Amino acid sequence: MLGGIALLLNGCMVTSDPALGSPDTEAPPRAAGDTGALSGTSDSTLSSADLLSIYQKIVIASVDQVDDTTLILAAIGGARTAAVDAGALPFETDILDQAALGLTGDPQGDWLGFASAYTTFLGKIQDVIDVSGVGQAAARGMISATKDPISRYLDRDAVAALQSSTSEGSIGVVLSPPAEPGPPMVRRLVTGGPAERAGVHVGDQLLAVGGQQTPGLDLSDVLQALNGASGSPVEVTVSTPGSAVPRSLTLQRLPARPPATTAEMRNGVAYVQVAALEQGATDAVRRALQDATSAGAQGWILDLRGNGDGSLQEAENLAALFVGSQTIGIVQSGPGQRSPIQSVGQPLANPLPLVVLVDGATAGPAELLAVAIQEYHAGRIVGTPTRGRLGNTSNVGLSDGSVAAITTTRILSATGATLLGTGVMPDESAAPQPEAAASGQDAPLERAVALLQQ
């Protein structure tokens, strides 16, 4: 799975994520002299053994090297801040400050010093404040110190929510991320799905899900909240352009996914939507483009908007239709550790001018496909920057049921461009607008058709 954690939708990889591989979850190791969770502390308190497991994963396997001293200082800073926020007095954190001052640059010795101070600190304050957030803040501090866009800490509630979101229930919408902070827009509806039956329209803006406001949320968090067990309810608030009053609806999640691949002719242009890079997508696209060419099409449009799901292998196969056998990307697993990603196959005969549509919901393998087409000049990219989720994470399971996901590989473009956190930049920008979408206009698609008719 590309693009995420093994537990995150659209770039953070659990079973539901559109990226590469499978969850790699490890139990926390124990260091010599580590007593683990303290007697009498909250069950959700992370022990020094939990923090050690994160520390080791970052030091040993993170795609970018991070200084061990930086990690320990970040853990100390997070723990101290959380303790004070929970009611501890500043002087009560002195033992952590002493551990910081005693750092020597020896990874093992420094960790043992921190672990001892951390365990002693929890023992002293556990009867004074709720210490459950202290370990979590220390974990978040270390992960934040990696400065990696997809490494994340997920508490056990978030893990449970993500696991439930892997089920087949959805409300049957495809969302377009906002171009600026704001609510996502409904770009497409699944025919007969819960949202369409409830009167949701293309162009509507999704203001809230389950009582949580969507402006400012990452799209993956919105999708996670929308999806869940089939048959379960979810409350959404939508706003229709031109209407001053938002509507709150309670929808029942059902198996309502858009078809993986659809094709049609639009004004003499072959238009193929690929919602997910599932097995068989390459064959479906090949047939659609060949049939359209035989019917006299003057160009091809490949719509990858909202495509955040699928396999790297299918991206490689599909890329070969346009660029042939080429190096289309590079896997970086550490400083100086790189291996090529190859597409293998013959390009389509008699190729027509190609435009690829992308947006902020285009993630994972679809990004690799888009950038390969761009870098080999096989087509033009139109839309908005993609999500930048071309990376793979390794999960560390922690004793309280939470998970730390650390990026261990990233995918670069064939030219070595970093896409993780950046995404694919379109050759021509075009973004949908709610008012236009509500009236049936699709500005990026219309621009793509116009380019091919020139």
Side-chain angles (χ1 to χ4, degrees), residues 361-387:
T362 306
E367 295 181 274
L368 183 63
L369 170 61
V371 78
I373 290 172
Q374 183 181 58
E375 290 192 339
Y376 284 101
H377 306 290
R380 289 178 60 80
I381 310 298
V382 172
T384 57
T386 63
R387 279 182 57 74

PDB file of all heavy atoms in Angstrom, residues 361-387:
ATOM      1  N   ALA A 361      -7.395  14.607  -4.115  1.00  0.00           N
ATOM      2  CA  ALA A 361      -7.762  13.275  -3.644  1.00  0.00           C
ATOM      3  C   ALA A 361      -7.087  12.181  -4.466  1.00  0.00           C
ATOM      4  O   ALA A 361      -7.319  10.997  -4.236  1.00  0.00           O
ATOM      5  CB  ALA A 361      -9.284  13.092  -3.683  1.00  0.00           C
ATOM      6  N   THR A 362      -6.273  12.559  -5.434  1.00  0.00           N
ATOM      7  CA  THR A 362      -5.476  11.586  -6.177  1.00  0.00           C
ATOM      8  C   THR A 362      -4.273  11.232  -5.320  1.00  0.00           C
ATOM      9  O   THR A 362      -3.463  12.092  -4.985  1.00  0.00           O
ATOM     10  CB  THR A 362      -5.001  12.175  -7.522  1.00  0.00           C
ATOM     11  OG1 THR A 362      -6.133  12.660  -8.256  1.00  0.00           O
ATOM     12  CG2 THR A 362      -4.270  11.131  -8.346  1.00  0.00           C
ATOM     13  N   ALA A 363      -4.163   9.960  -4.946  1.00  0.00           N
ATOM     14  CA  ALA A 363      -3.139   9.590  -3.966  1.00  0.00           C
ATOM     15  C   ALA A 363      -2.545   8.233  -4.289  1.00  0.00           C
ATOM     16  O   ALA A 363      -3.153   7.411  -4.979  1.00  0.00           O
ATOM     17  CB  ALA A 363      -3.737   9.571  -2.552  1.00  0.00           C
ATOM     18  N   GLY A 364      -1.335   7.991  -3.752  1.00  0.00           N
ATOM     19  CA  GLY A 364      -0.718   6.674  -3.837  1.00  0.00           C
ATOM     20  C   GLY A 364      -0.326   6.281  -5.250  1.00  0.00           C
ATOM     21  O   GLY A 364       0.262   7.075  -5.994  1.00  0.00           O
ATOM     22  N   PRO A 365      -0.640   5.048  -5.656  1.00  0.00           N
ATOM     23  CA  PRO A 365      -0.224   4.569  -6.980  1.00  0.00           C
ATOM     24  C   PRO A 365      -0.676   5.449  -8.132  1.00  0.00           C
ATOM     25  O   PRO A 365       0.023   5.564  -9.137  1.00  0.00           O
ATOM     26  CB  PRO A 365      -0.864   3.171  -7.051  1.00  0.00           C
ATOM     27  CG  PRO A 365      -0.982   2.739  -5.631  1.00  0.00           C
ATOM     28  CD  PRO A 365      -1.288   3.986  -4.859  1.00  0.00           C
ATOM     29  N   ALA A 366      -1.849   6.077  -7.993  1.00  0.00           N
ATOM     30  CA  ALA A 366      -2.321   6.956  -9.068  1.00  0.00           C
ATOM     31  C   ALA A 366      -1.377   8.138  -9.269  1.00  0.00           C
ATOM     32  O   ALA A 366      -1.233   8.641 -10.391  1.00  0.00           O
ATOM     33  CB  ALA A 366      -3.735   7.449  -8.769  1.00  0.00           C
ATOM     34  N   GLU A 367      -0.742   8.595  -8.212  1.00  0.00           N
ATOM     35  CA  GLU A 367       0.228   9.682  -8.340  1.00  0.00           C
ATOM     36  C   GLU A 367       1.449   9.231  -9.127  1.00  0.00           C
ATOM     37  O   GLU A 367       2.006   9.985  -9.926  1.00  0.00           O
ATOM     38  CB  GLU A 367       0.651  10.175  -6.962  1.00  0.00           C
ATOM     39  CG  GLU A 367      -0.471  10.827  -6.174  1.00  0.00           C
ATOM     40  CD  GLU A 367      -0.006  11.325  -4.826  1.00  0.00           C
ATOM     41  OE1 GLU A 367      -0.003  10.535  -3.858  1.00  0.00           O
ATOM     42  OE2 GLU A 367       0.359  12.517  -4.724  1.00  0.00           O
ATOM     43  N   LEU A 368       1.878   8.002  -8.904  1.00  0.00           N
ATOM     44  CA  LEU A 368       3.014   7.472  -9.652  1.00  0.00           C
ATOM     45  C   LEU A 368       2.681   7.375 -11.132  1.00  0.00           C
ATOM     46  O   LEU A 368       3.501   7.716 -11.991  1.00  0.00           O
ATOM     47  CB  LEU A 368       3.405   6.097  -9.105  1.00  0.00           C
ATOM     48  CG  LEU A 368       4.625   5.442  -9.753  1.00  0.00           C
ATOM     49  CD1 LEU A 368       5.873   6.272  -9.517  1.00  0.00           C
ATOM     50  CD2 LEU A 368       4.819   4.022  -9.220  1.00  0.00           C
ATOM     51  N   LEU A 369       1.476   6.935 -11.446  1.00  0.00           N
ATOM     52  CA  LEU A 369       1.033   6.866 -12.833  1.00  0.00           C
ATOM     53  C   LEU A 369       1.028   8.252 -13.466  1.00  0.00           C
ATOM     54  O   LEU A 369       1.544   8.452 -14.574  1.00  0.00           O
ATOM     55  CB  LEU A 369      -0.370   6.244 -12.889  1.00  0.00           C
ATOM     56  CG  LEU A 369      -1.102   6.304 -14.222  1.00  0.00           C
ATOM     57  CD1 LEU A 369      -0.335   5.558 -15.310  1.00  0.00           C
ATOM     58  CD2 LEU A 369      -2.519   5.738 -14.068  1.00  0.00           C
ATOM     59  N   ALA A 370       0.474   9.234 -12.762  1.00  0.00           N
ATOM     60  CA  ALA A 370       0.382  10.584 -13.315  1.00  0.00           C
ATOM     61  C   ALA A 370       1.759  11.189 -13.556  1.00  0.00           C
ATOM     62  O   ALA A 370       2.009  11.790 -14.612  1.00  0.00           O
ATOM     63  CB  ALA A 370      -0.430  11.472 -12.376  1.00  0.00           C
ATOM     64  N   VAL A 371       2.659  11.038 -12.600  1.00  0.00           N
ATOM     65  CA  VAL A 371       3.968  11.671 -12.763  1.00  0.00           C
ATOM     66  C   VAL A 371       4.784  10.966 -13.841  1.00  0.00           C
ATOM     67  O   VAL A 371       5.595  11.603 -14.533  1.00  0.00           O
ATOM     68  CB  VAL A 371       4.731  11.718 -11.419  1.00  0.00           C
ATOM     69  CG1 VAL A 371       5.341  10.369 -11.057  1.00  0.00           C
ATOM     70  CG2 VAL A 371       5.804  12.802 -11.457  1.00  0.00           C
ATOM     71  N   ALA A 372       4.575   9.656 -14.032  1.00  0.00           N
ATOM     72  CA  ALA A 372       5.275   8.956 -15.115  1.00  0.00           C
ATOM     73  C   ALA A 372       4.832   9.497 -16.467  1.00  0.00           C
ATOM     74  O   ALA A 372       5.655   9.749 -17.360  1.00  0.00           O
ATOM     75  CB  ALA A 372       5.005   7.459 -15.015  1.00  0.00           C
ATOM     76  N   ILE A 373       3.526   9.685 -16.630  1.00  0.00           N
ATOM     77  CA  ILE A 373       3.016  10.244 -17.882  1.00  0.00           C
ATOM     78  C   ILE A 373       3.557  11.649 -18.096  1.00  0.00           C
ATOM     79  O   ILE A 373       3.934  12.034 -19.215  1.00  0.00           O
ATOM     80  CB  ILE A 373       1.473  10.236 -17.858  1.00  0.00           C
ATOM     81  CG1 ILE A 373       0.956   8.789 -17.942  1.00  0.00           C
ATOM     82  CG2 ILE A 373       0.901  11.089 -18.993  1.00  0.00           C
ATOM     83  CD1 ILE A 373      -0.535   8.660 -17.728  1.00  0.00           C
ATOM     84  N   GLN A 374       3.650  12.411 -17.027  1.00  0.00           N
ATOM     85  CA  GLN A 374       4.145  13.789 -17.127  1.00  0.00           C
ATOM     86  C   GLN A 374       5.623  13.826 -17.494  1.00  0.00           C
ATOM     87  O   GLN A 374       6.037  14.563 -18.401  1.00  0.00           O
ATOM     88  CB  GLN A 374       3.905  14.505 -15.801  1.00  0.00           C
ATOM     89  CG  GLN A 374       4.298  15.970 -15.795  1.00  0.00           C
ATOM     90  CD  GLN A 374       4.045  16.601 -14.430  1.00  0.00           C
ATOM     91  OE1 GLN A 374       4.572  16.145 -13.422  1.00  0.00           O
ATOM     92  NE2 GLN A 374       3.236  17.649 -14.402  1.00  0.00           N
ATOM     93  N   GLU A 375       6.436  13.025 -16.784  1.00  0.00           N
ATOM     94  CA  GLU A 375       7.878  13.106 -17.000  1.00  0.00           C
ATOM     95  C   GLU A 375       8.313  12.523 -18.335  1.00  0.00           C
ATOM     96  O   GLU A 375       9.334  12.941 -18.883  1.00  0.00           O
ATOM     97  CB  GLU A 375       8.611  12.417 -15.849  1.00  0.00           C
ATOM     98  CG  GLU A 375       8.495  13.184 -14.542  1.00  0.00           C
ATOM     99  CD  GLU A 375       9.440  12.691 -13.461  1.00  0.00           C
ATOM    100  OE1 GLU A 375       9.911  11.521 -13.544  1.00  0.00           O
ATOM    101  OE2 GLU A 375       9.735  13.465 -12.537  1.00  0.00           O
ATOM    102  N   TYR A 376       7.562  11.580 -18.872  1.00  0.00           N
ATOM    103  CA  TYR A 376       7.892  11.032 -20.200  1.00  0.00           C
ATOM    104  C   TYR A 376       7.138  11.757 -21.312  1.00  0.00           C
ATOM    105  O   TYR A 376       7.152  11.310 -22.461  1.00  0.00           O
ATOM    106  CB  TYR A 376       7.613   9.527 -20.236  1.00  0.00           C
ATOM    107  CG  TYR A 376       8.670   8.727 -19.519  1.00  0.00           C
ATOM    108  CD1 TYR A 376       8.459   8.247 -18.226  1.00  0.00           C
ATOM    109  CD2 TYR A 376       9.903   8.473 -20.108  1.00  0.00           C
ATOM    110  CE1 TYR A 376       9.444   7.520 -17.556  1.00  0.00           C
ATOM    111  CE2 TYR A 376      10.892   7.748 -19.449  1.00  0.00           C
ATOM    112  CZ  TYR A 376      10.650   7.281 -18.173  1.00  0.00           C
ATOM    113  OH  TYR A 376      11.635   6.570 -17.506  1.00  0.00           O
ATOM    114  N   HIS A 377       6.493  12.859 -20.964  1.00  0.00           N
ATOM    115  CA  HIS A 377       5.807  13.721 -21.944  1.00  0.00           C
ATOM    116  C   HIS A 377       4.801  12.936 -22.776  1.00  0.00           C
ATOM    117  O   HIS A 377       4.621  13.205 -23.966  1.00  0.00           O
ATOM    118  CB  HIS A 377       6.831  14.407 -22.858  1.00  0.00           C
ATOM    119  CG  HIS A 377       7.892  15.158 -22.108  1.00  0.00           C
ATOM    120  ND1 HIS A 377       7.643  16.320 -21.406  1.00  0.00           N
ATOM    121  CD2 HIS A 377       9.213  14.877 -21.918  1.00  0.00           C
ATOM    122  CE1 HIS A 377       8.758  16.732 -20.827  1.00  0.00           C
ATOM    123  NE2 HIS A 377       9.733  15.887 -21.109  1.00  0.00           N
ATOM    124  N   ALA A 378       4.124  11.996 -22.114  1.00  0.00           N
ATOM    125  CA  ALA A 378       3.109  11.213 -22.807  1.00  0.00           C
ATOM    126  C   ALA A 378       1.746  11.878 -22.746  1.00  0.00           C
ATOM    127  O   ALA A 378       0.810  11.444 -23.433  1.00  0.00           O
ATOM    128  CB  ALA A 378       3.029   9.807 -22.199  1.00  0.00           C
ATOM    129  N   GLY A 379       1.592  12.909 -21.928  1.00  0.00           N
ATOM    130  CA  GLY A 379       0.317  13.600 -21.817  1.00  0.00           C
ATOM    131  C   GLY A 379       0.465  14.809 -20.915  1.00  0.00           C
ATOM    132  O   GLY A 379       1.484  15.014 -20.260  1.00  0.00           O
ATOM    133  N   ARG A 380      -0.588  15.639 -20.888  1.00  0.00           N
ATOM    134  CA  ARG A 380      -0.612  16.822 -20.038  1.00  0.00           C
ATOM    135  C   ARG A 380      -1.418  16.521 -18.784  1.00  0.00           C
ATOM    136  O   ARG A 380      -2.422  15.818 -18.832  1.00  0.00           O
ATOM    137  CB  ARG A 380      -1.235  18.014 -20.780  1.00  0.00           C
ATOM    138  CG  ARG A 380      -0.347  18.560 -21.894  1.00  0.00           C
ATOM    139  CD  ARG A 380      -1.034  19.710 -22.627  1.00  0.00           C
ATOM    140  NE  ARG A 380      -1.360  20.824 -21.742  1.00  0.00           N
ATOM    141  CZ  ARG A 380      -0.487  21.749 -21.350  1.00  0.00           C
ATOM    142  NH1 ARG A 380       0.781  21.687 -21.756  1.00  0.00           N
ATOM    143  NH2 ARG A 380      -0.864  22.742 -20.570  1.00  0.00           N
ATOM    144  N   ILE A 381      -0.985  17.092 -17.660  1.00  0.00           N
ATOM    145  CA  ILE A 381      -1.676  16.919 -16.395  1.00  0.00           C
ATOM    146  C   ILE A 381      -2.466  18.194 -16.107  1.00  0.00           C
ATOM    147  O   ILE A 381      -1.905  19.298 -16.109  1.00  0.00           O
ATOM    148  CB  ILE A 381      -0.692  16.649 -15.238  1.00  0.00           C
ATOM    149  CG1 ILE A 381       0.280  15.523 -15.611  1.00  0.00           C
ATOM    150  CG2 ILE A 381      -1.455  16.321 -13.962  1.00  0.00           C
ATOM    151  CD1 ILE A 381      -0.366  14.195 -15.869  1.00  0.00           C
ATOM    152  N   VAL A 382      -3.766  18.039 -15.857  1.00  0.00           N
ATOM    153  CA  VAL A 382      -4.659  19.166 -15.605  1.00  0.00           C
ATOM    154  C   VAL A 382      -5.383  18.939 -14.282  1.00  0.00           C
ATOM    155  O   VAL A 382      -5.820  17.822 -13.985  1.00  0.00           O
ATOM    156  CB  VAL A 382      -5.676  19.337 -16.754  1.00  0.00           C
ATOM    157  CG1 VAL A 382      -6.734  20.388 -16.406  1.00  0.00           C
ATOM    158  CG2 VAL A 382      -4.971  19.719 -18.053  1.00  0.00           C
ATOM    159  N   GLY A 383      -5.522  19.993 -13.500  1.00  0.00           N
ATOM    160  CA  GLY A 383      -6.265  19.879 -12.246  1.00  0.00           C
ATOM    161  C   GLY A 383      -5.588  20.646 -11.132  1.00  0.00           C
ATOM    162  O   GLY A 383      -5.122  21.770 -11.325  1.00  0.00           O
ATOM    163  N   THR A 384      -5.540  20.026  -9.958  1.00  0.00           N
ATOM    164  CA  THR A 384      -4.897  20.619  -8.785  1.00  0.00           C
ATOM    165  C   THR A 384      -3.855  19.640  -8.254  1.00  0.00           C
ATOM    166  O   THR A 384      -3.886  18.452  -8.591  1.00  0.00           O
ATOM    167  CB  THR A 384      -5.932  20.936  -7.696  1.00  0.00           C
ATOM    168  OG1 THR A 384      -6.640  19.737  -7.347  1.00  0.00           O
ATOM    169  CG2 THR A 384      -6.937  21.980  -8.183  1.00  0.00           C
ATOM    170  N   PRO A 385      -2.904  20.100  -7.433  1.00  0.00           N
ATOM    171  CA  PRO A 385      -1.852  19.194  -6.950  1.00  0.00           C
ATOM    172  C   PRO A 385      -2.424  17.963  -6.248  1.00  0.00           C
ATOM    173  O   PRO A 385      -3.427  18.038  -5.535  1.00  0.00           O
ATOM    174  CB  PRO A 385      -1.064  20.073  -5.967  1.00  0.00           C
ATOM    175  CG  PRO A 385      -1.279  21.467  -6.458  1.00  0.00           C
ATOM    176  CD  PRO A 385      -2.680  21.487  -6.976  1.00  0.00           C
ATOM    177  N   THR A 386      -1.774  16.831  -6.462  1.00  0.00           N
ATOM    178  CA  THR A 386      -2.222  15.582  -5.844  1.00  0.00           C
ATOM    179  C   THR A 386      -1.826  15.563  -4.366  1.00  0.00           C
ATOM    180  O   THR A 386      -1.155  16.461  -3.863  1.00  0.00           O
ATOM    181  CB  THR A 386      -1.630  14.370  -6.573  1.00  0.00           C
ATOM    182  OG1 THR A 386      -0.198  14.400  -6.449  1.00  0.00           O
ATOM    183  CG2 THR A 386      -2.006  14.396  -8.047  1.00  0.00           C
ATOM    184  N   ARG A 387      -2.238  14.513  -3.654  1.00  0.00           N
ATOM    185  CA  ARG A 387      -2.110  14.499  -2.194  1.00  0.00           C
ATOM    186  C   ARG A 387      -0.688  14.338  -1.688  1.00  0.00           C
ATOM    187  O   ARG A 387      -0.382  14.685  -0.554  1.00  0.00           O
ATOM    188  CB  ARG A 387      -2.967  13.361  -1.607  1.00  0.00           C
ATOM    189  CG  ARG A 387      -4.414  13.741  -1.491  1.00  0.00           C
ATOM    190  CD  ARG A 387      -5.241  12.639  -0.865  1.00  0.00           C
ATOM    191  NE  ARG A 387      -4.787  12.233   0.449  1.00  0.00           N
ATOM    192  CZ  ARG A 387      -4.945  12.934   1.567  1.00  0.00           C
ATOM    193  NH1 ARG A 387      -5.532  14.112   1.511  1.00  0.00           N
ATOM    194  NH2 ARG A 387      -4.519  12.484   2.714  1.00  0.00           N
TER     195      ARG A 387
END
